[in-house]
Amino acid sequence: MRMRADMTGSGSPVGSCTAAGTLPVNGTGSVSCTNTSPAWASWYRGAELSEGAEPYQAIAHVVAQAFDPGEVAGVRDQVDKQFRNLRRELDGKKNCRRVLASAPLRRAVHLAPAPLGPWDDYCTYVLPSGVEETPTFDKRSLDLVRKYHFPGGEFADDAKGLFKATVTNGQLHRILDRGLGDPAPFTKNSQGYYEKTFPSPGVGCEAKVNGGRDAEFVTLVINTAGDVVTMYPHN
């Protein structure tokens, strides 16, 4: 018996999980799985920080199939062959790979539902080799971005790019995910942090000293521990 549970949060895909189990002859059984994808973790953090209801749901697909013990080896070989073919097919697709559902999901984010089977589609975050964990916002880093790069922030000034006052914490999480998935590489800055710039129009304005126009880009800065140091809009 195989099960795949696809989850949505606020109407958008937020990852999935898979599980397998066996059933006795003429008996019953159960399987369960836990969605550990960064997409779910990011959405859940944003939901905790947002006001109002944030609906989510899981849709499970279950397939039960009976095999003669002698057929098991042949089925396994067939699945292995399909998996190798898929890996070869995806080798040329930039930043993306197909990984076994049972493999560690560190530095990976779920993109879209895949056919029911022992594999899932993931797109790898392009992270520097020295970064220990997938970068995420915590309360401290969110507070710092709001203090430095939001209108009315304690340390905001005319020399800093500012997000629009209407940008929510949930939207900041989504901008972070967009940046991590962008193919642009991280570079090490003079302070020893890693940063990358990616397109994100409509979320803020560049510094007033530079004209204060609508910003087309956002720069993300992280440290080797996977903490978000800062994030800000600019042109």
Side-chain angles (χ1 to χ4, degrees):
M1 177 171 61
R2 294 173 295 163
M3 180 190 75
R4 175 188 175 90
D6 293 306
M7 296 187 66
T8 61
S10 303
S12 299
V14 289
S16 65
C17 61
T18 59
T22 57
L23 291 173
V25 177
N26 298 323
T28 61
S30 64
V31 292
S32 63
C33 64
T34 301
N35 182 3
T36 60
S37 70
W40 165 254
S42 178
W43 178 87
Y44 187 82
R45 286 192 301 270
E48 284 188 311
L49 296 169
S50 66
E51 297 180 0
E54 294 286 350
Y56 65 92
Q57 68 173 349
I59 300 176
H61 308 272
V62 180
V63 174
Q65 188 172 4
F67 287 102
D68 181 272
E71 297 178 312
V72 174
V75 172
R76 184 180 62 242
D77 291 342
Q78 183 181 3
V79 169
D80 287 343
K81 181 179 179 180
Q82 290 175 334
F83 180 69
R84 288 193 298 270
N85 289 339
L86 288 168
R87 288 297 298 269
R88 285 195 295 269
E89 177 185 334
L90 292 169
D91 276 345
K93 294 186 178 181
K94 192 172 184 180
N95 302 328
C96 290
R97 59 177 177 165
R98 190 171 290 255
V99 299
L100 286 172
S102 58
L105 302 185
R106 183 167 175 262
R107 299 185 183 179
V109 60
H110 185 268
L111 279 187
L116 182 66
W119 51 78
D120 286 329
D121 276 336
Y122 290 88
C123 191
T124 305
Y125 285 152
V126 185
L127 299 177
S129 59
V131 175
E132 298 173 359
E133 297 292 340
T134 301
T136 58
F137 271 122
D138 56 20
K139 185 178 185 304
R140 179 178 178 276
S141 55
L142 281 170
D143 287 345
L144 287 175
V145 168
R146 288 195 169 277
K147 286 179 179 179
Y148 280 88
H149 296 291
F150 270 79
E154 184 178 353
F155 304 110
D157 56 44
D158 291 349
K160 295 183 177 69
L162 303 180
F163 287 101
K164 293 180 178 179
T166 55
V167 172
T168 66
N169 287 344
Q171 289 170 325
L172 288 175
H173 282 290
R174 288 191 283 275
I175 294 169
L176 170 63
D177 283 342
R178 185 187 311 152
L180 291 173
D182 188 270
F186 278 94
T187 59
K188 201 167 188 177
N189 65 23
S190 59
Q191 296 175 297
Y193 297 133
Y194 294 98
E195 62 180 52
K196 73 176 335 185
T197 296
F198 55 94
S200 190
V203 299
C205 299
E206 67 176 357
K208 285 187 178 180
V209 295
N210 295 325
R213 295 166 297 181
D214 288 344
E216 296 293 326
F217 300 94
V218 164
T219 287
L220 167 66
V221 183
I222 62 174
N223 62 22
T224 55
D227 302 316
V228 175
V229 177
T230 190
M231 190 170 73
Y232 56 90
H234 63 90
N235 282 327

Short mmCIF file of all heavy atoms in Angstrom, two decimals, residues 5 16 21 30 44 46 50 53 77 83 85 90 107-108 111 118 129 132 144 152 154 166 181 184 191 206 212:
data_model
loop_
_atom_site.label_atom_id
_atom_site.label_comp_id
_atom_site.label_asym_id
_atom_site.label_seq_id
_atom_site.Cartn_x
_atom_site.Cartn_y
_atom_site.Cartn_z
N ALA A 5 0.28 12.31 0.25
CA ALA A 5 -0.59 13.39 0.73
C ALA A 5 -0.06 14.71 0.19
O ALA A 5 1.07 15.10 0.48
CB ALA A 5 -0.61 13.41 2.26
N SER A 16 4.40 18.04 0.19
CA SER A 16 3.70 16.77 0.29
C SER A 16 4.54 15.80 1.08
O SER A 16 5.67 16.09 1.46
CB SER A 16 3.42 16.21 -1.11
OG SER A 16 4.65 15.91 -1.76
N GLY A 21 3.17 0.97 3.32
CA GLY A 21 2.94 -0.01 4.35
C GLY A 21 2.43 -1.30 3.74
O GLY A 21 2.23 -1.40 2.52
N SER A 30 -2.97 0.86 8.31
CA SER A 30 -2.95 2.32 8.21
C SER A 30 -1.53 2.79 7.91
O SER A 30 -0.55 2.11 8.25
CB SER A 30 -3.44 2.97 9.51
OG SER A 30 -2.56 2.66 10.58
N TYR A 44 3.85 27.78 7.24
CA TYR A 44 3.36 27.67 8.62
C TYR A 44 3.87 28.82 9.47
O TYR A 44 3.12 29.40 10.26
CB TYR A 44 3.80 26.34 9.22
CG TYR A 44 3.19 26.05 10.57
CD1 TYR A 44 1.92 25.52 10.67
CD2 TYR A 44 3.90 26.32 11.75
CE1 TYR A 44 1.35 25.26 11.91
CE2 TYR A 44 3.35 26.06 12.98
CZ TYR A 44 2.07 25.53 13.07
OH TYR A 44 1.52 25.28 14.29
N GLY A 46 4.68 31.79 8.38
CA GLY A 46 3.95 32.97 7.96
C GLY A 46 2.53 32.99 8.51
O GLY A 46 2.01 34.03 8.91
N SER A 50 0.63 35.89 10.79
CA SER A 50 -0.38 36.70 10.11
C SER A 50 -1.66 36.78 10.94
O SER A 50 -1.90 35.96 11.82
CB SER A 50 -0.70 36.11 8.73
OG SER A 50 -1.32 34.86 8.87
N ALA A 53 -7.62 33.93 9.66
CA ALA A 53 -7.53 32.49 9.38
C ALA A 53 -6.64 32.23 8.16
O ALA A 53 -6.66 32.99 7.19
CB ALA A 53 -8.92 31.92 9.14
N ASP A 77 13.24 -3.80 -9.76
CA ASP A 77 14.15 -3.52 -10.87
C ASP A 77 13.53 -2.54 -11.86
O ASP A 77 14.21 -1.66 -12.40
CB ASP A 77 14.53 -4.82 -11.57
CG ASP A 77 15.39 -5.72 -10.71
OD1 ASP A 77 15.97 -5.21 -9.72
OD2 ASP A 77 15.47 -6.92 -11.02
N PHE A 83 13.63 5.21 -12.44
CA PHE A 83 14.26 6.29 -11.68
C PHE A 83 15.56 6.75 -12.35
O PHE A 83 15.82 7.94 -12.48
CB PHE A 83 14.54 5.82 -10.25
CG PHE A 83 15.21 6.85 -9.40
CD1 PHE A 83 14.53 7.99 -9.01
CD2 PHE A 83 16.52 6.68 -8.98
CE1 PHE A 83 15.15 8.94 -8.22
CE2 PHE A 83 17.13 7.63 -8.21
CZ PHE A 83 16.45 8.76 -7.82
N ASN A 85 16.33 6.55 -15.50
CA ASN A 85 15.97 7.27 -16.72
C ASN A 85 15.54 8.70 -16.41
O ASN A 85 15.88 9.65 -17.12
CB ASN A 85 14.86 6.54 -17.47
CG ASN A 85 15.32 5.24 -18.10
OD1 ASN A 85 16.52 5.06 -18.33
ND2 ASN A 85 14.39 4.33 -18.37
N LEU A 90 16.61 14.63 -16.25
CA LEU A 90 16.61 15.90 -15.53
C LEU A 90 18.00 16.47 -15.31
O LEU A 90 18.15 17.56 -14.78
CB LEU A 90 15.92 15.73 -14.17
CG LEU A 90 14.42 15.46 -14.24
CD1 LEU A 90 13.89 15.05 -12.88
CD2 LEU A 90 13.69 16.69 -14.74
N ARG A 107 18.04 21.59 2.11
CA ARG A 107 18.33 22.46 0.99
C ARG A 107 17.45 22.18 -0.23
O ARG A 107 17.86 22.38 -1.36
CB ARG A 107 19.80 22.36 0.56
CG ARG A 107 20.77 22.76 1.66
CD ARG A 107 22.17 22.77 1.14
NE ARG A 107 23.12 23.08 2.19
CZ ARG A 107 24.42 23.15 2.03
NH1 ARG A 107 24.93 22.91 0.85
NH2 ARG A 107 25.22 23.44 3.03
N ALA A 108 16.25 21.70 -0.03
CA ALA A 108 15.36 21.46 -1.16
C ALA A 108 13.98 22.00 -0.86
O ALA A 108 13.58 22.10 0.29
CB ALA A 108 15.28 19.97 -1.48
N LEU A 111 8.28 21.77 -5.43
CA LEU A 111 7.76 22.66 -6.46
C LEU A 111 6.34 22.29 -6.88
O LEU A 111 5.46 23.12 -6.91
CB LEU A 111 8.66 22.61 -7.70
CG LEU A 111 9.92 23.46 -7.65
CD1 LEU A 111 10.59 23.41 -9.01
CD2 LEU A 111 9.63 24.90 -7.27
N PRO A 118 7.87 6.30 -6.02
CA PRO A 118 8.90 6.45 -4.99
C PRO A 118 9.77 7.67 -5.19
O PRO A 118 10.85 7.75 -4.66
CB PRO A 118 9.71 5.16 -5.16
CG PRO A 118 9.62 4.88 -6.63
CD PRO A 118 8.22 5.30 -7.02
N SER A 129 28.44 26.50 -0.36
CA SER A 129 28.79 25.25 0.31
C SER A 129 29.00 25.43 1.81
O SER A 129 28.84 24.48 2.57
CB SER A 129 30.06 24.66 -0.32
OG SER A 129 31.14 25.59 -0.22
N GLU A 132 25.18 26.15 6.49
CA GLU A 132 24.86 24.91 7.19
C GLU A 132 23.40 24.49 7.01
O GLU A 132 23.10 23.30 6.95
CB GLU A 132 25.17 25.05 8.68
CG GLU A 132 26.65 25.32 8.96
CD GLU A 132 26.91 25.64 10.42
OE1 GLU A 132 25.93 25.67 11.19
OE2 GLU A 132 28.08 25.88 10.78
N LEU A 144 14.18 42.83 12.55
CA LEU A 144 15.26 43.68 12.04
C LEU A 144 14.93 44.23 10.66
O LEU A 144 15.18 45.41 10.38
CB LEU A 144 16.57 42.88 11.98
CG LEU A 144 17.23 42.60 13.34
CD1 LEU A 144 18.44 41.70 13.16
CD2 LEU A 144 17.64 43.91 14.02
N GLY A 152 8.65 54.04 8.73
CA GLY A 152 8.42 54.22 10.15
C GLY A 152 9.27 53.34 11.03
O GLY A 152 9.17 53.41 12.27
N GLU A 154 12.40 51.91 13.17
CA GLU A 154 13.28 52.62 14.11
C GLU A 154 14.57 53.08 13.45
O GLU A 154 15.10 54.16 13.77
CB GLU A 154 13.59 51.69 15.29
CG GLU A 154 14.42 52.32 16.39
CD GLU A 154 14.66 51.37 17.55
OE1 GLU A 154 14.07 50.27 17.55
OE2 GLU A 154 15.45 51.74 18.45
N THR A 166 2.42 47.77 3.41
CA THR A 166 1.39 46.73 3.35
C THR A 166 1.96 45.32 3.23
O THR A 166 1.20 44.34 3.29
CB THR A 166 0.45 46.99 2.17
OG1 THR A 166 1.25 47.09 0.96
CG2 THR A 166 -0.34 48.28 2.35
N GLY A 181 15.15 30.30 -4.46
CA GLY A 181 14.97 29.49 -5.65
C GLY A 181 15.49 30.13 -6.92
O GLY A 181 15.57 29.49 -7.95
N ALA A 184 20.30 32.96 -9.61
CA ALA A 184 21.46 33.83 -9.40
C ALA A 184 22.31 33.28 -8.24
O ALA A 184 21.76 32.82 -7.24
CB ALA A 184 21.01 35.25 -9.09
N GLN A 191 31.78 41.72 4.66
CA GLN A 191 31.53 41.39 6.06
C GLN A 191 31.53 39.88 6.32
O GLN A 191 31.30 39.44 7.44
CB GLN A 191 30.19 41.97 6.51
CG GLN A 191 30.15 43.50 6.49
CD GLN A 191 28.78 44.04 6.82
OE1 GLN A 191 27.81 43.81 6.10
NE2 GLN A 191 28.68 44.74 7.94
N GLU A 206 13.19 52.03 -3.89
CA GLU A 206 14.60 52.23 -3.62
C GLU A 206 14.78 53.42 -2.67
O GLU A 206 13.81 54.16 -2.37
CB GLU A 206 15.35 52.49 -4.92
CG GLU A 206 15.01 53.80 -5.62
CD GLU A 206 15.87 54.03 -6.85
OE1 GLU A 206 16.76 53.21 -7.13
OE2 GLU A 206 15.66 55.04 -7.53
N GLY A 212 13.92 57.22 -4.90
CA GLY A 212 12.71 56.68 -4.28
C GLY A 212 11.74 56.02 -5.23
O GLY A 212 10.56 55.88 -4.91
#
